[in-house]
Amino acid sequence: MTPELTALLQLVRPADGAAMHAARERQSQLTKPPGALGDLEALSMRLAGVFGTDRPDPQGVAVIVAAGDHGVAAEGVSAFPPEVTGAMVANFLADTPAGPGGAAVNALARSVGAQVYVMDAGVAAGLPEHPHLVRAAVRPGTRNLRREAAMTRAEAEALILAGAALARQAIEDGADLLIPGEMGIGNTTPAAALTARLLRLDAAEVTGRGTGVDGAALAHKVAVIREALGRSAVTEPLDVLAEFGGFEIAAMLGVMLQAAASRRAVILDGFVEGSAALVGVALVPALADYLFPAGECAERGHAAQLAHLGLHPMFRLGLRLGEGTGGVLAAPLLRGAAATLREMRTFAEAGVPTA
């Protein structure tokens, strides 16, 4: 492991227990019946631990969309061709009448005032020059994980650090809530492989439809993942990432680690993001304190990820697009949870009798 990555991992410390205790005490005194705000109460207390205060006030929201291609796409595991990855990167950056970007994540980000950052983590297609495209690719797509390691350890670590660097930039730009997002045709295959190995589950238990494969195509996808898992017995988290992962998954892991190291909250979107989180928590368990899952997505295996991480989704909307879309939708919920803890008066402050 590089010294830079070692140092980053060492900066991830558990959430502030004293702030969480103070938040719990404050919650018990706010002008409402106990538990009346449901899950918002638990979310607000977790945010207190992240930001180190019983009155958290998260402001800026950043979506970091990392894009990468996958050698395993040649195995027919996706309903779409690999060329779509590059085309979608162009769409993330396109000028539209509504503003920068014509993808779902751009539209949703505009609706909540979030900033979108786009990274070339390893796209196979040639991408046009653009001032808002962050170039971090070490090669044009991973190798075919069915046949060989998707990445070298050095490549995986380089992308982790690239993701961390972009997260630092977003934080410097004012982000308190960071949303790792992804684009990469075929990437639910490496995500399923990572999940299966790290959770010690069979591929069929965690492999879903991805872009829409079903029937024989889905069975083939499961078989490809089983062959990959049978090819290598690695269990160390970074080795698992390099063997079965993807460049954009490594970059998202870097975003998560840097956010936690900087005491910022991470909103998890879906299954591919969840696979990165599994690697991260295996490396440094305290990372889980900073993870806030948006929703349980429609992809098979996401529920198993969340259960392992001990996290509860904020909603279930049947999302499976990726890009960070679900994370964007969750940002107002987190800000609202923080606002109730920060701005509501206590019974004593409001002069409201409690008996």
Side-chain angles (χ1 to χ4, degrees):
M1 188 183 300
T2 65
E4 190 175 359
L5 181 53
T6 299
L8 177 60
L9 294 175
Q10 291 172 344
L11 288 174
V12 179
R13 309 298 298 170
D16 188 327
M20 293 180 71
H21 177 75
R24 188 174 296 107
E25 289 295 307
R26 180 169 172 76
Q27 271 286 354
S28 70
Q29 301 170 42
L30 296 179
T31 47
K32 58 177 177 57
L37 285 176
D39 290 350
L40 292 184
E41 298 184 12
L43 289 171
S44 72
M45 290 184 280
R46 290 195 62 214
L47 287 169
V50 169
F51 293 101
T53 172
D54 65 347
R55 298 181 188 233
D57 188 15
Q59 291 295 311
V61 181
V63 193
I64 296 177
V65 183
D69 277 305
H70 299 266
V72 74
E75 302 289 345
V77 293
S78 173
F80 289 89
E83 291 76 14
V84 170
T85 304
M88 282 302 300
V89 171
N91 194 23
F92 295 140
L93 299 167
D95 292 325
T96 77
V105 69
N106 303 108
L108 293 172
R110 284 190 288 270
S111 77
V112 302
Q115 178 70 38
V116 178
Y117 298 78
V118 183
M119 173 195 286
D120 172 13
V123 178
L127 298 175
E129 292 299 322
H130 195 285
H132 295 141
L133 177 62
V134 176
R135 304 275 187 170
V138 295
R139 54 178 282 117
T142 60
R143 299 166 183 86
N144 186 345
L145 62 86
R146 185 183 191 181
R147 314 290 180 184
E148 59 184 322
M151 300 173 278
T152 66
R153 269 285 294 261
E155 289 170 342
E157 293 186 22
L159 264 297
I160 293 172
L161 294 174
L166 190 48
R168 286 195 298 274
Q169 181 61 59
I171 291 167
E172 289 173 10
D173 292 342
D176 291 325
L177 304 176
L178 282 85
I179 304 165
E182 42 66 36
M183 176 63 215
I185 293 300
N187 66 7
T188 58
T189 295
L194 291 173
T195 303
R197 176 54 53 87
L198 292 170
L199 300 189
R200 297 179 175 86
L201 296 173
D202 181 70
E205 298 178 76
V206 295
T207 303
R209 298 179 61 214
T211 50
V213 299
D214 212 342
L218 178 57
H220 170 69
K221 182 178 177 181
V222 170
V224 167
I225 295 168
R226 281 184 179 143
E227 285 189 35
L229 295 170
R231 179 183 54 72
S232 172
V234 296
T235 57
E236 193 279 328
L238 287 179
D239 287 340
V240 173
L241 175 64
E243 199 73 39
F244 307 117
F247 289 136
E248 76 274 41
I249 295 174
M252 290 193 296
L253 171 56
V255 171
M256 296 176 199
L257 291 171
Q258 185 61 60
S262 302
R263 304 198 74 84
R264 300 303 198 278
V266 176
I267 307 180
L268 288 180
D269 182 19
F271 181 62
V272 182
E273 289 77 7
S275 71
L278 290 178
V279 177
V281 172
L283 286 168
V284 52
L287 176 63
D289 291 350
Y290 299 84
L291 304 178
F292 294 79
E296 183 182 325
C297 77
E299 192 69 9
R300 183 175 177 84
H302 192 214
Q305 292 175 342
L306 296 180
H308 179 81
L309 294 168
L311 301 174
H312 303 283
M314 296 180 225
F315 48 72
R316 288 178 176 84
L317 297 176
L319 302 177
R320 58 182 179 91
L321 176 60
E323 302 178 4
T325 48
V328 175
L329 291 171
L333 289 177
L334 283 186
R335 293 181 66 180
T340 60
L341 181 61
R342 182 179 69 250
E343 298 176 15
M344 286 180 68
R345 292 199 292 175
T346 65
F347 284 104
E349 291 166 344
V352 177
T354 57

